[in-house]
Amino acid sequence: MAAPPPRPEVTTIAGKVEIPRIINGLWQLAGGHDPHVDIGGAVQAMAPLIEAGLSCFDMADHYGDAELVIGEYNSNSDGGPRITAFTKWCPQENKNRSFEQAQAAVDLALARMKQKSIALMQYHAWDYTDESYLCNLAHLQAMQDQGKIDFIGLTNTDAAHLELLLHSGYRIATNQVSCSVIDLRLIKGRLSSVCAENDVGILAYGTLLGGYLSEKWLGAPEPRDEAALNWSLRKYLRFIRAAGGWGPFQEVLKALSVVSKRHGVPITAVATRWVLDVPVVKAVIVGSRLSASSNKYTADNLSAFAFSLDDEDRALILSAQQRLSDIPGDCGDEYRRPPFLTTAGDLSHHIHENSDAAKKLAEAVANGSRIEYRTSSKWEPIAGYCRAVRTGDLIRVSGTTANPPPQIIDKVPVLGGTCARCQAVASLDIIARSIKALGGTLADVVRTRIMIQNEDDCDAVSEAHGWVLGCEKVRPANTLTGAHLIGDEFLVEIEAEAVVGSGKSVYVVE
């Protein structure tokens, strides 16, 4: 008789919510895998998972009927095993920053899940230059205080903006990001250290690359007909290509295969164990369709808890990983700048631009108009200035500090708190928003002037400036100087000038 599979390791979110270290991800209920979701059948498919100790489920507002499945289970469990359900709110950033919108989203999730509170509500910000996310997170925090939400998490948030939020006073328990044996951004970048320093747990997805990290793909040719692939395989093929291509991926897969045979476990177990051993990773999220066939993967998934990787295993995997290329940017950048490592290869499934506003701006530029970008700052009409002015192709941005949106200034007096690096990131986000409103991009910046309150902050502010503009692959002319800034809470002020279109082609002379 075969030995029963091991029970999963357990951990806690924010030291209070106990969960298994493998979470059932329900994104496959969103479509692109099965055309129809049988809610009753999905509830039945939950039972063997829960019995095996895999009693935590992760979903989102856009995962089709996923929240309804959880609600059906909660309605009919009749005192059965308790589950823990996480969800996400991923709103379009449409300038609606009202508490009522956030409240409606949370109440809808609670109604669909048939729960009195949400254990972990995770938020995804599509665009850091749109301050809606700052307002929405403040609203979620208010509902956490009301008891509707136990803890707040983020999804796909880079180190700089996680750090900005934490220093601004937001209570963040988790960050859900991609991490695998080929996606090493969490480990190689700053995000891991920011999480460790602030007790933010990582919930890692993409651990199995949608199924590519398995015996099925060992030695197999690269798929060419992307249209024949399900959404997950289409998405993670882009990750593989960004990490160096099919050849280096196969070398890593071979190393995982050697380790798997050494321990008598499947490749998926080795790939999962490797991520679970990253110190800041609380749990990995493994996709489940909640169908009649779902349970056939349970034993393989649980085998990640049946062994440990030794130094020889790690050395073999590391040797193969050295053939990979670094996936560009930080965690979450795949949703915010090229290369877009999404199912569609762009953001067409997620973001819809305001074509009317763009058309009106283009007409004003063509007419030779002076174009002013005005914000809700109370000082602009008093002092007679605006945030930015465009004349021709030149955009000039006023001195910019880390002012929060007026809707939350009573809760967050300054973005970034007492962290100068964070204030610099917030100021550059505001500058980017201003340039974008006038038809340019941050890559078009040709000149910046930075004023800092304290000379000791020179290195941190310079690094923030270098990171932000480095993401755009440009280096503008720059001056940094000490100054007495108005308002003791402000540590950094930044001015910028941009020439629209100049960032499209950069020629470097050394």
Side-chain angles (χ1 to χ4, degrees):
M1 180 180 293
R7 302 292 290 179
E9 297 167 2
V10 297
T11 187
T12 58
I13 299 298
K16 293 185 178 180
V17 179
E18 186 175 284
I19 60 168
R21 294 195 71 202
I22 288 181
I23 298 171
N24 303 294
L26 303 187
W27 57 79
Q28 296 181 19
L29 276 64
H33 295 83
D34 291 318
H36 173 70
V37 175
D38 175 1
I39 292 180
V43 171
Q44 290 180 1
M46 291 171 63
L49 297 173
I50 297 167
E51 185 178 344
L54 301 176
S55 57
C56 186
F57 298 82
D58 180 73
M59 66 215 82
D61 55 356
H62 60 284
Y63 286 5
D65 292 333
E67 291 177 342
L68 293 175
V69 171
I70 297 301
E72 185 71 10
Y73 176 86
N74 286 333
S75 294
N76 297 286
S77 58
D78 295 326
R82 285 191 60 205
I83 63 170
T84 303
F86 301 159
T87 193
K88 306 179 192 74
W89 182 36
C90 311
Q92 289 287 322
E93 278 143 356
N94 55 7
K95 300 189 184 302
N96 184 346
R97 300 164 187 167
S98 69
F99 177 80
E100 288 73 22
Q101 177 191 234
Q103 181 174 246
V106 171
D107 287 348
L108 177 61
L110 287 170
R112 283 163 59 92
M113 296 162 68
K114 292 184 168 57
Q115 296 184 173
K116 293 181 179 179
S117 67
I118 297 169
L120 181 71
M121 172 60 90
Q122 302 158 98
Y123 186 85
H124 178 84
W126 294 106
D127 182 358
Y128 298 128
T129 71
D130 187 321
E131 58 192 8
S132 299
Y133 83 100
L134 298 165
C135 298
N136 287 333
L137 281 168
H139 300 328
L140 292 181
Q141 200 153 278
M143 283 180 277
Q144 183 182 21
D145 294 337
Q146 293 173 359
K148 291 185 175 182
I149 298 169
D150 295 336
F151 294 100
I152 296 170
L154 302 171
T155 68
N156 301 305
T157 301
D158 62 30
H161 290 88
L162 173 60
E163 189 175 47
L164 187 160
L165 289 166
L166 291 165
H167 281 277
S168 300
Y170 290 91
R171 302 186 295 266
I172 306 299
T174 61
N175 188 14
Q176 187 175 141
V177 299
S178 169
C179 181
S180 69
V181 288
I182 74 158
D183 185 356
L184 308 177
R185 293 173 296 170
L186 169 65
I187 299 156
K188 290 189 172 184
R190 288 182 58 238
L191 184 57
S192 182
S193 61
V194 171
C195 288
E197 291 164 8
N198 295 278
D199 195 25
V200 175
I202 290 292
L203 303 180
Y205 69 87
T207 307
L208 303 178
L209 295 178
Y212 285 113
L213 290 174
S214 66
E215 284 78 6
K216 175 181 178 179
W217 292 97
L218 182 63
E222 180 176 354
R224 296 298 178 186
D225 184 5
E226 292 187 27
L229 301 175
N230 66 40
W231 285 0
S232 291
L233 291 174
R234 217 176 300 171
K235 172 180 177 176
Y236 288 107
L237 184 57
R238 300 187 194 283
F239 276 76
I240 290 168
R241 289 169 177 169
W246 197 253
F249 162 70
Q250 283 291 322
E251 292 301 313
V252 174
L253 198 54
K254 289 175 188 175
L256 297 180
S257 178
V258 171
V259 175
S260 73
K261 291 174 181 176
R262 185 181 294 162
H263 292 281
V265 296
I267 287 174
T268 53
V270 179
T272 300
R273 185 71 259 173
W274 189 91
V275 175
L276 285 170
D277 287 347
V278 175
V280 294
V281 171
K282 288 286 188 179
V284 301
I285 306 173
V286 176
S288 175
R289 299 187 189 185
L290 293 186
S291 64
S293 62
S294 295
N295 195 44
K296 72 179 183 180
Y297 302 106
T298 302
D300 283 355
N301 291 337
L302 288 172
S303 61
F305 304 111
F307 75 107
S308 299
L309 295 171
D310 59 27
D311 291 343
E312 185 180 355
D313 298 332
R314 295 184 182 285
L316 182 63
I317 295 170
L318 178 60
S319 177
Q321 287 173 323
Q322 290 172 348
R323 297 176 175 85
L324 298 169
S325 301
D326 289 337
I327 292 178
D330 201 349
C331 293
D333 279 3
E334 64 268 29
Y335 288 101
R336 298 183 181 92
R337 57 173 61 93
F340 295 110
L341 306 180
T342 62
T343 298
D346 55 31
L347 298 183
S348 59
H349 288 180
H350 305 289
I351 295 178
H352 306 286
E353 298 291 343
N354 186 338
S355 57
D356 288 341
K359 182 179 178 181
K360 290 177 181 178
L361 177 65
E363 290 174 351
V365 171
N367 291 334
S369 300
R370 167 193 172 107
I371 307 168
E372 298 183 356
Y373 174 62
R374 300 178 181 182
T375 72
S376 55
S377 167
K378 70 175 183 179
W379 293 108
E380 289 180 17
I382 293 173
Y385 74 99
C386 63
R387 177 56 41 209
V389 178
R390 175 172 176 173
T391 53
D393 288 334
L394 180 61
I395 298 173
R396 300 175 177 88
V397 185
S398 299
T400 302
T401 52
N403 279 295
Q407 296 93 330
I408 63 169
I409 197 166
D410 58 327
K411 303 180 183 71
V412 183
V414 59
L415 296 174
T418 59
C419 173
R421 180 202 300 268
C422 300
Q423 286 199 22
V425 170
S427 298
L428 288 165
D429 282 345
I430 296 170
I431 288 170
R433 178 167 70 247
S434 306
I435 294 172
K436 182 179 178 181
L438 297 180
T441 72
L442 210 55
D444 295 329
V445 171
V446 297
R447 174 83 169 145
T448 55
R449 297 177 182 85
I450 304 174
M451 293 150 278
I452 58 175
Q453 190 85 267
N454 304 310
E455 189 173 330
D456 291 345
D457 292 330
C458 176
D459 287 353
V461 170
S462 296
E463 288 170 4
H465 180 272
W467 173 74
V468 171
L469 275 302
C471 288
E472 306 298 328
K473 298 180 173 57
V474 296
R475 294 188 191 178
N478 168 255
T479 300
L480 186 150
T481 186
H484 176 70
L485 304 183
I486 305 301
D488 292 341
E489 68 274 26
F490 295 114
L491 304 176
V492 185
E493 184 168 341
I494 305 177
E495 297 177 1
E497 296 177 8
V499 176
V500 176
S502 65
K504 292 179 180 178
S505 177
V506 178
Y507 176 73
V508 177
V509 178
E510 295 181 335

